[in-house]
Amino acid sequence: MTAPEHERPGTTGRARGARPARAGLRVLVAASGWLALAATAVPGPAALRWIPVLLFILFGPGCAALYPQPGGLAGGARLEAVALAAPVSLALAVLTATSLFLVEGFSATAFLLALAVLTTIAAALPGLPLPAARRGAVARAPRRSADGGGA
C-alpha cells in the first residue's frame, strides 16, 4: 500500500490543499443561488437585491456545470471554462424560463428557485468534460531557440 502523495518524501503537499479549495468552490456556487433567492426579499429596487440575482443568473449555473473537474483545470482548460461559464449559465436560464412559461408557472421566485436547485445539484456532480482538457491544450508547446532555428 502506498502513502498518499502529500505524505511521500519529496512532495510539497499541494494535493492536500487542492481538495478543500474545490469543495469550497462547490459550496460557494451552490449557495449563490440560494443567496440570490434570499436577495429577492430585500424591499425596494436596491442594488442589494438585483446585483446578486444578476451575478447568479450570469455565472452560477455555468460555474456549477463546468468547474467541479476531477483533477482540477490547468492553462487552456481554465480559460475555456471561464469563457464558457456565462453562455452555459444563460442557456440554462433560458431553458428554465421557457419550461416555466410552457407549464404556465413562471414567476421570478419560481425561476430563481428552479435555477438554485439545478445549480445545487450540478455543483454536487463532476463538471462537464472540456475539449481543451481532453485534447491536451493545457500542455506547453516546445520552445524554439533564440536564433530562429528549429524544424
Side-chain angles (χ1 to χ4, degrees), residues 110-132:
F111 173 69
L112 284 174
L113 180 66
L115 269 183
V117 168
L118 177 73
T119 302
T120 302
I121 292 170
L125 300 172
L128 298 171
L130 297 170

Side-chain angles (χ1 to χ4, degrees), residues 14 116 132 140 145:
R14 279 182 45 187
R140 293 183 181 254
S145 64

Side-chain angles (χ1 to χ4, degrees), residues 1 6 53 80 126 130 135 138:
M1 182 160 209
H6 65 276
V53 172
E80 182 181 27
L130 297 170
R135 69 174 176 262
V138 297

Side-chain angles (χ1 to χ4, degrees), residues 26-148:
R26 288 178 180 208
V27 171
L28 181 66
V29 170
S32 68
W34 302 106
L35 175 71
L37 187 62
T40 61
V42 174
L48 291 175
R49 182 178 181 157
W50 62 267
I51 289 176
V53 172
L54 179 66
L55 288 174
F56 168 67
I57 292 171
L58 282 176
F59 299 108
C63 285
L66 296 173
Y67 271 112
Q69 294 287 328
L73 294 172
R78 242 184 274 140
L79 179 62
E80 182 181 27
V82 168
L84 288 175
V88 168
S89 289
L90 292 175
L92 290 171
V94 168
L95 288 172
T96 302
T98 303
S99 299
L100 289 170
F101 273 117
L102 288 174
V103 297
E104 297 177 3
F106 184 83
S107 70
T109 304
F111 173 69
L112 284 174
L113 180 66
L115 269 183
V117 168
L118 177 73
T119 302
T120 302
I121 292 170
L125 300 172
L128 298 171
L130 297 170
R134 282 193 312 235
R135 69 174 176 262
V138 297
R140 293 183 181 254
R143 299 187 82 168
R144 290 187 160 176
S145 64
D147 63 349

